[in-house]
Each structure stands twice: as structure tokens, then as C-alpha cells.
Amino acid sequence: MTTKPGQFLKGKRIIVAGGGIAGSAFVAALNQLWDKSLKRPEVTVFERENREASIQQDPYMLTLNGGNQDEGLVALQQLGLLDDIRAHSTLNSGAIRVWGDNWKELASINPKPYGDLPAATMRIQRQDLKRILVENADKANATWRWTCTCTSAERLSSGQIRVTISDAEAGSTLTQDCDLLIAADGANSRIRASFRPHDMKWEYAGATQMGGISRLPNGLPHPVHEDYGLQMSSGEGVCCIYTPFDKETIGWALSRVEPEREAKTGPFAPEDFAALKREALKTGSMFSEPFRTVVEATDPATAFIRPAKEKQPFRHDSRLRGVVFIGDANHVLSAYEFVGANLALKDGWDLAEQICRIVSMEAAVASYDKLSVRRAEHTIKHSHERIGFGHSTGFKWKVYKYGMAAQRAMAKKELDLG
């Protein structure tokens, strides 16, 4: 008798630790892709927040990319959620601008939409994305347990995984056994601490950001009003990243290469906030307006000092049999890459797809690893390149400067010929 893909989980028990972007995407994808001729696995999702808090915990704006098949908009299209996402987002060209200290445009990257996607980029508030994912996952054959945190896990002699859960609402602790544990519990994963205690340290990528979210009721100033951009100093090793959220709101992050600093997030005490702005204005003193205007308009509750920290992805071996890590529970990106949600979406979809198309769990996880690990490694490598580029000094800066000038000249020539 031929073994069907996914049959190894027929009628089995799956626990998903964490109902965030990766966990929700996995639950929805598994429900969508499961062979209807097979008995469905019993899926339970444990999420530490209550439903409302989980959805509304962060109004931060996310950029969902769709320039290639490894990005978040493709996963949302595969989930059938693209129209819902589009209704709550703004379409964007996906262009990335590079400006000099006096706002001269030095370079631009203009990705094209992959396949039949309507745009290369969509911007959406995190809470809107989360709400759409949770509402879609609600339709799946899964049980959601809110205010429940998976605090630890262990493998039993039977091969099953025993998960310890803290129920904040009931004020109690319980254990549940499962055949497959999906660890989607974030960068400080309790499940990773149980199975990979040596892998809890993040690495410093060499640069520290300070910044926040600025609100300008009269509208964002040009040229930061539309596209994501990076402003570079002329060889002093300072850069500032600008992320417009809407017509009146923009995120900014000024950085330089320096020894690691202590992370700090708002709200800041008034004197600490004033000191942060003074340091930012002094560090970025070479940047022309509207740099100062953006910094002065910062909302104190959003201010931060953020060292760029990351954690490399890992592959699953026999010691992790029955446990699969997705999203930030597996890999952590530094603040120089704004694609964490994109990787989480693709991780959730890819794992479900491999489970539903391959005849053994071991082979499905190995296939998932080939996709997920390569994707995360490429992203982390790109963040290192971006840090080196944005903070370049001396001869390296001159190489970049003349390289970008040559690129602009070639682009103009092609435009004139076209």
C-alpha cells in the first residue's frame, strides 16, 4: 500500500508554542494543505497573551516584500490572504533610496513584483497583519489556548514530547504530550532553552542604532515622505535609516560602528530622552535638513537605543526529533533587516507544505531546513553587507561613492537610449 504524504501525522497531536506570525501562518497553511482523505491531526496553539492583547500589542508598521518567491507576500498569496492584506495596507514600489549627507540621491534599488503580485512591497500595521492571520487560523481545525505560555519541554521515552504550560488566567501549571511540537515562541524561545540551552546567546553585529518614531502632523518632508531610504555620511561612518509609515509618521534609526551598548526602549525619562536627541543630533551633525526636523519630532514613548543583535539559524538533527523551530525561535535578525515578518510567514508556509507533500517527518523537516536555513543565512549575510556599506569610511567609502556614481551614469545612459 502506497504511503501518502503527511500520513505520519494522521490523527496525531501537534502543539504550537506561540500564536504569532510564524505560528499562525503554520496553522493556517497546514489546514489548507492537509489531504482531506486523511484524518486531521489535533492541533493546539498556546499563546501567552490574551486574544486582544496578542493582536494589538504593537502598532508598528511592517514592510511585506514580494520581489521573489522567498518573501512574505508570496506566502500570503499562497494562504489566499492577499486581498485581505491589500485592503489594510498601502502598496509601494519597494524602492530603496540611498542619499548623501546633503540628500543627493546616490543610488536606488527598484525591485519588481514577483509573478502576478500587485506590488513589490506592501506596508501594513503589525496588529492588522496579526488580526488577519489569527482570524484565518480561527477557521482551521485548531484549538487556541490564550494566556498560556509553554515554559519548557522534554522528550519522553515513548518518543512523544511533554510540554509544560503556565496558564496565567487560571493561575496554574499543566503538562500536555504531543507527537510534534512547533516552537514558534520568539527570539527568547523557552523551547529552544529546553533543547538547545547552548544556543541562547545573540551575537553583536558591530553597530548600534538610536532612534524612534516621529510624528509630523503637517506631513513628512521630502525626500523621506515616500520610500524607505538610507542616508550616508561622506566617509565619517554614520548612517540613518528612514522608514515612512504613513503621510505623517516615520521611523528613523541613526547608527555607527562602536562597542556594544546596553539596549534601552521607551518611554525614556525626560532628561534621558533629551540626552538621546542631543547625541543623535551631534552624531548626525553632517546631515542636512530634514534630519533635525525628524529627530526633534520623535515620540518619547518610541525612542530606543538598539545594538544590532542576531542569531544564526540551525538545522534540525536527531536530537530534535519531534520538535521543529520556526521564525525567530530559530533565527534572529538584526535591526538592519526589516524582513522578520517575511521570514516568519515563509517558515510557517514552507514547513506545512513539506509536511503535506513528503512521506516522512524526517524528510519533511530536512526539506524545510534547506529552504528556511538558506533563506535566513542569506538575509543575515545581507545585513552584514548593509552595515559595512552604510558605515563605510576612508578608501572603502570612496570605492562605494565612485561605484554608485558609475551606476547612476549607466542608468542615465540606458534611459537616454530607451
Side-chain angles (χ1 to χ4, degrees):
M1 184 176 178
T2 303
T3 301
K4 288 188 174 184
Q7 188 166 325
F8 51 88
L9 284 177
K10 179 179 67 173
K12 300 290 188 179
R13 183 122 199 276
I14 300 174
I15 286 179
V16 180
I21 293 173
S24 298
F26 170 78
V27 171
L30 186 69
N31 181 66
Q32 178 177 319
L33 297 170
W34 187 260
D35 185 339
K36 293 179 175 56
S37 70
L38 297 175
K39 182 180 179 181
R40 289 181 176 276
E42 177 189 340
V43 180
T44 304
V45 184
F46 291 98
E47 166 57 39
R48 67 180 179 182
E49 304 285 354
N50 64 46
R51 182 188 175 93
E52 202 62 27
S54 174
I55 293 173
Q56 296 185 353
Q57 64 181 346
D58 192 348
Y60 202 83
M61 189 69 69
L62 296 175
T63 298
L64 301 175
N65 298 324
N68 61 64
Q69 63 183 2
D70 257 346
E71 297 190 315
L73 288 181
V74 175
L76 290 165
Q77 184 179 53
Q78 292 167 318
L79 286 166
L81 297 176
L82 201 57
D83 288 343
D84 293 333
I85 295 296
R86 185 169 181 174
H88 293 85
S89 66
T90 57
L91 303 186
N92 189 264
S93 67
I96 300 174
R97 310 295 181 190
V98 179
W99 300 292
D101 45 23
N102 61 356
W103 296 101
K104 176 182 179 180
E105 186 170 308
L106 303 177
S108 65
I109 301 170
N110 300 280
K112 295 181 179 180
Y114 175 78
D116 59 353
L117 290 173
T121 298
M122 293 186 189
R123 293 194 185 121
I124 186 170
Q125 283 194 337
R126 190 195 303 265
Q127 61 193 26
D128 286 332
L129 173 63
K130 183 67 182 297
R131 178 180 51 76
I132 291 168
L133 286 170
V134 169
E135 288 177 355
N136 186 61
D138 275 346
K139 302 172 186 176
N141 292 288
T143 299
W144 284 73
R145 295 285 303 274
W146 302 99
T147 69
C148 290
T149 302
C150 296
T151 57
S152 64
E154 61 180 324
R155 180 174 291 102
L156 304 177
S157 59
S158 64
Q160 284 193 308
I161 306 298
R162 175 161 292 168
V163 184
T164 300
I165 303 122
S166 173
D167 186 332
E169 187 171 301
S172 61
T173 299
L174 63 149
T175 62
Q176 291 194 13
D177 299 344
C178 63
D179 302 287
L180 175 62
L181 171 60
I182 305 298
D185 54 341
N188 294 304
S189 169
R190 301 279 192 93
I191 306 302
R192 180 164 19 99
S194 294
F195 289 94
R196 292 175 60 88
H198 61 283
D199 192 24
M200 298 303 293
K201 186 177 180 181
W202 302 1
E203 298 176 0
Y204 181 52
T208 294
Q209 295 179 333
M210 65 181 70
I213 298 175
S214 300
R215 310 188 194 284
L216 296 109
N218 294 325
L220 298 184
H222 290 235
V224 299
H225 64 294
E226 190 172 40
D227 295 317
Y228 168 93
L230 182 150
Q231 187 176 25
M232 302 175 66
S233 63
S234 297
E236 293 95 340
V238 179
C239 78
C240 189
I241 294 173
Y242 301 90
T243 310
F245 294 170
D246 54 40
K247 293 180 180 180
E248 299 178 356
T249 313
I250 187 168
W252 64 277
L254 182 76
S255 60
R256 60 188 174 190
V257 174
E258 61 180 339
E260 182 178 349
R261 296 172 63 174
E262 182 181 357
K264 188 173 183 179
T265 56
F268 279 54
E271 60 273 18
D272 292 336
F273 180 58
L276 181 143
K277 287 201 296 183
R278 284 197 302 271
E279 182 181 356
L281 292 171
K282 180 179 179 181
T283 302
S285 60
M286 70 288 295
F287 295 145
S288 302
E289 275 285 5
F291 170 73
R292 174 178 284 273
T293 296
V294 171
V295 173
E296 293 286 8
T298 305
D299 179 349
T302 68
F304 62 81
I305 296 173
R306 184 168 57 200
K309 305 291 284 289
E310 64 193 17
K311 194 194 81 64
Q312 292 288 341
F314 59 87
R315 289 173 170 78
H316 297 77
D317 56 26
S318 59
R319 292 169 294 181
L320 295 176
R321 188 176 67 257
V323 185
V324 184
F325 293 81
I326 62 176
D328 288 349
N330 187 297
H331 43 72
V332 179
L333 305 181
S334 80
Y336 289 90
E337 287 294 336
F338 298 97
V339 296
N342 291 267
L343 267 62
L345 288 164
K346 284 299 293 180
D347 277 2
W349 173 271
D350 284 345
L351 177 58
E353 185 177 48
Q354 303 317 303
I355 287 174
C356 293
R357 63 178 287 269
I358 294 178
V359 298
S360 77
M361 191 66 213
E362 292 75 14
V365 173
S367 183
Y368 161 76
D369 279 344
K370 287 180 182 179
L371 298 169
S372 176
V373 172
R374 173 190 54 79
R375 182 165 53 232
E377 287 177 341
H378 171 78
T379 302
I380 291 174
K381 179 181 177 183
H382 184 262
S383 74
H384 293 173
E385 293 170 353
R386 181 173 290 180
I387 290 171
F389 170 73
H391 303 94
S392 56
T393 59
F395 179 73
K396 189 175 182 180
W397 154 247
K398 291 181 179 179
V399 170
Y400 282 132
K401 176 183 177 181
Y402 292 120
M404 288 185 287
Q407 182 191 53
R408 294 197 303 275
M410 290 178 62
K412 184 178 184 301
K413 185 177 180 179
E414 288 177 3
L415 187 63
D416 292 341
L417 293 174

Coordinates of all heavy atoms in Angstrom, one line a residue, residues 309-347:
K309 N 21.7 42.9 17.1 CA 22.0 41.6 17.6 C 21.3 40.6 16.6 O 20.3 40.8 16.1 CB 21.4 41.4 19.0 CG 21.9 42.4 20.0 CD 23.4 42.2 20.3 CE 23.7 41.1 21.3 NZ 23.2 41.3 22.6
E310 N 21.9 39.4 16.5 CA 21.4 38.4 15.6 C 21.8 37.0 16.1 O 22.6 36.8 17.0 CB 22.0 38.6 14.2 CG 23.5 38.4 14.2 CD 24.2 38.9 12.9 OE1 23.5 39.7 12.2 OE2 25.3 38.5 12.6
K311 N 21.1 36.0 15.6 CA 21.4 34.6 15.9 C 21.2 33.8 14.6 O 20.2 33.9 13.9 CB 20.4 34.1 17.0 CG 20.9 32.7 17.6 CD 19.8 32.0 18.4 CE 18.9 31.3 17.4 NZ 19.6 30.2 16.7
Q312 N 22.3 33.1 14.3 CA 22.3 32.3 13.1 C 21.3 31.1 13.2 O 21.0 30.6 14.3 CB 23.7 31.6 12.9 CG 24.8 32.6 12.6 CD 24.7 33.2 11.2 OE1 24.0 32.7 10.3 NE2 25.3 34.4 11.0
P313 N 20.7 30.7 12.0 CA 19.7 29.6 12.0 C 20.4 28.3 12.3 O 21.7 28.2 12.1 CB 19.2 29.7 10.6 CG 20.3 30.3 9.8 CD 21.0 31.3 10.7
F314 N 19.7 27.3 12.6 CA 20.3 26.0 12.7 C 19.4 24.9 12.1 O 18.2 25.1 11.9 CB 20.4 25.6 14.2 CG 19.1 25.7 15.0 CD1 18.3 24.5 15.1 CD2 18.7 26.8 15.7 CE1 17.1 24.6 15.8 CE2 17.6 26.9 16.4 CZ 16.7 25.8 16.5
R315 N 20.0 23.8 11.7 CA 19.3 22.7 11.1 C 18.9 21.7 12.2 O 19.5 21.7 13.3 CB 20.1 22.0 10.1 CG 20.3 22.8 8.8 CD 21.3 22.2 7.8 NE 21.3 22.8 6.5 CZ 21.9 24.0 6.3 NH1 22.6 24.6 7.2 NH2 21.8 24.5 5.1
H316 N 17.8 21.0 12.0 CA 17.3 20.0 13.0 C 18.0 18.7 12.8 O 18.1 18.1 11.7 CB 15.8 19.9 12.8 CG 15.0 21.2 13.0 ND1 15.0 22.2 12.1 CD2 14.3 21.6 14.1 CE1 14.3 23.2 12.6 NE2 13.8 22.8 13.8
D317 N 18.5 18.1 13.9 CA 19.1 16.8 13.8 C 18.3 15.8 14.6 O 17.2 16.2 15.1 CB 20.6 16.9 14.3 CG 20.7 17.5 15.7 OD1 19.8 17.4 16.5 OD2 21.8 18.0 16.0
S318 N 18.9 14.7 14.8 CA 18.1 13.6 15.5 C 17.8 14.0 17.0 O 16.8 13.5 17.5 CB 18.9 12.3 15.5 OG 20.2 12.4 16.1
R319 N 18.6 14.8 17.6 CA 18.3 15.2 18.9 C 17.1 16.1 19.1 O 16.5 16.3 20.1 CB 19.5 16.0 19.5 CG 20.8 15.2 19.7 CD 22.0 16.0 20.0 NE 22.3 16.9 18.9 CZ 23.4 17.7 18.8 NH1 24.1 17.8 19.9 NH2 23.6 18.4 17.8
L320 N 16.6 16.6 17.9 CA 15.4 17.5 17.9 C 14.2 16.7 17.3 O 13.2 17.4 16.9 CB 15.7 18.8 17.1 CG 16.7 19.7 17.7 CD1 17.0 20.9 16.8 CD2 16.3 20.2 19.1
R321 N 14.3 15.4 17.2 CA 13.2 14.7 16.6 C 11.9 15.0 17.3 O 11.8 14.9 18.6 CB 13.5 13.2 16.7 CG 12.5 12.3 16.0 CD 12.9 10.8 16.1 NE 12.8 10.3 17.4 CZ 13.9 10.1 18.3 NH1 15.1 10.4 17.9 NH2 13.7 9.7 19.5
G322 N 10.9 15.4 16.5 CA 9.6 15.7 17.1 C 9.4 17.2 17.5 O 8.4 17.6 18.0
V323 N 10.5 18.0 17.3 CA 10.4 19.4 17.6 C 11.0 20.2 16.4 O 12.0 19.9 15.9 CB 11.3 19.8 18.9 CG1 11.1 21.2 19.2 CG2 10.9 18.9 20.0
V324 N 10.2 21.2 16.0 CA 10.7 22.0 14.8 C 10.5 23.5 15.2 O 9.5 23.9 15.7 CB 9.8 21.7 13.6 CG1 10.4 22.5 12.4 CG2 9.8 20.2 13.2
F325 N 11.6 24.2 15.0 CA 11.7 25.6 15.3 C 11.4 26.5 14.0 O 12.1 26.3 13.0 CB 13.0 26.0 15.9 CG 13.3 25.3 17.2 CD1 13.7 24.0 17.3 CD2 13.1 26.0 18.4 CE1 13.9 23.4 18.6 CE2 13.3 25.5 19.7 CZ 13.7 24.1 19.7
I326 N 10.5 27.5 14.2 CA 10.2 28.3 13.0 C 10.3 29.8 13.5 O 10.2 30.1 14.6 CB 8.9 28.0 12.4 CG1 7.7 28.2 13.4 CG2 8.8 26.6 11.9 CD1 6.3 28.0 12.8
G327 N 10.5 30.7 12.5 CA 10.5 32.1 12.8 C 11.7 32.5 13.7 O 12.8 31.9 13.6
D328 N 11.5 33.5 14.6 CA 12.5 34.0 15.5 C 13.0 32.9 16.5 O 14.0 33.1 17.1 CB 12.0 35.2 16.2 CG 11.9 36.4 15.4 OD1 12.4 36.4 14.2 OD2 11.3 37.4 15.8
A329 N 12.2 31.9 16.7 CA 12.7 30.8 17.6 C 13.9 30.1 17.0 O 14.6 29.5 17.7 CB 11.5 29.8 17.8
N330 N 14.0 30.2 15.7 CA 15.1 29.5 15.0 C 16.2 30.5 14.7 O 17.4 30.2 14.9 CB 14.7 28.8 13.7 CG 15.7 28.0 13.1 OD1 16.8 28.5 12.7 ND2 15.5 26.7 13.0
H331 N 15.9 31.7 14.2 CA 16.9 32.6 13.7 C 16.4 34.0 14.1 O 15.2 34.3 14.2 CB 17.0 32.6 12.2 CG 15.7 32.4 11.5 ND1 14.8 33.5 11.4 CD2 15.2 31.4 10.9 CE1 13.8 33.1 10.7 NE2 13.9 31.8 10.4
V332 N 17.4 34.9 14.5 CA 17.1 36.3 14.9 C 17.8 37.2 14.0 O 19.1 37.1 13.8 CB 17.5 36.5 16.4 CG1 17.2 37.9 16.8 CG2 16.8 35.5 17.3
L333 N 17.1 38.2 13.4 CA 17.7 39.1 12.5 C 18.0 40.4 13.3 O 17.3 40.8 14.2 CB 16.8 39.4 11.4 CG 16.3 38.3 10.6 CD1 15.3 38.7 9.5 CD2 17.4 37.5 10.0
S334 N 19.1 41.1 12.9 CA 19.4 42.4 13.5 C 18.4 43.5 12.9 O 17.7 43.3 12.0 CB 20.8 42.8 13.1 OG 20.9 43.3 11.8
A335 N 18.5 44.6 13.5 CA 17.6 45.8 13.2 C 17.9 46.3 11.8 O 17.2 47.2 11.3 CB 17.7 46.9 14.2
Y336 N 19.0 45.8 11.1 CA 19.3 46.3 9.8 C 18.6 45.5 8.7 O 18.7 45.8 7.5 CB 20.8 46.3 9.6 CG 21.5 47.3 10.4 CD1 22.0 47.0 11.6 CD2 21.7 48.6 9.9 CE1 22.6 48.0 12.4 CE2 22.3 49.6 10.6 CZ 22.8 49.3 11.9 OH 23.4 50.3 12.6
E337 N 17.8 44.6 9.1 CA 16.9 43.9 8.2 C 15.5 43.9 8.7 O 15.2 43.5 9.8 CB 17.4 42.4 8.0 CG 18.6 42.2 7.2 CD 18.5 42.6 5.8 OE1 17.4 42.6 5.3 OE2 19.5 42.9 5.2
F338 N 14.6 44.5 7.9 CA 13.2 44.6 8.3 C 12.3 43.6 7.7 O 11.2 43.8 7.2 CB 12.7 46.0 7.8 CG 13.4 47.2 8.4 CD1 14.5 47.8 7.8 CD2 13.1 47.6 9.7 CE1 15.2 48.9 8.3 CE2 13.8 48.7 10.3 CZ 14.8 49.3 9.6
V339 N 12.8 42.3 7.7 CA 12.1 41.3 7.0 C 11.8 40.1 7.9 O 11.5 39.0 7.5 CB 13.0 40.7 5.8 CG1 13.1 41.8 4.7 CG2 14.3 40.2 6.2
G340 N 11.8 40.3 9.2 CA 11.5 39.2 10.1 C 10.1 38.6 9.9 O 9.9 37.4 9.9
A341 N 9.1 39.5 9.7 CA 7.7 39.0 9.4 C 7.7 38.2 8.1 O 7.0 37.2 8.0 CB 6.8 40.2 9.3
N342 N 8.5 38.6 7.1 CA 8.5 37.9 5.8 C 9.1 36.5 6.0 O 8.5 35.5 5.5 CB 9.4 38.7 4.8 CG 8.8 40.0 4.4 OD1 8.1 40.0 3.4 ND2 9.0 41.0 5.1
L343 N 10.2 36.4 6.8 CA 10.7 35.0 7.1 C 9.8 34.2 7.9 O 9.7 33.0 7.7 CB 12.1 35.2 7.8 CG 13.3 35.2 6.8 CD1 13.3 36.4 5.9 CD2 14.6 35.2 7.7
A344 N 9.1 34.8 8.9 CA 8.2 34.0 9.7 C 7.0 33.5 8.8 O 6.6 32.3 9.0 CB 7.6 35.0 10.8
L345 N 6.5 34.3 7.9 CA 5.4 33.8 7.1 C 5.8 32.7 6.2 O 5.1 31.7 6.1 CB 4.9 35.0 6.2 CG 4.1 36.1 6.9 CD1 4.0 37.3 6.1 CD2 2.7 35.5 7.3
K346 N 7.0 32.8 5.6 CA 7.5 31.8 4.7 C 7.9 30.5 5.5 O 7.7 29.4 5.0 CB 8.7 32.2 3.9 CG 8.4 33.2 2.8 CD 7.4 32.5 1.7 CE 8.1 31.4 1.0 NZ 7.2 30.7 0.0
D347 N 8.4 30.6 6.7 CA 8.7 29.5 7.5 C 7.5 28.7 7.8 O 7.4 27.5 7.7 CB 9.4 29.9 8.8 CG 10.9 30.2 8.7 OD1 11.4 30.0 7.6 OD2 11.5 30.5 9.7

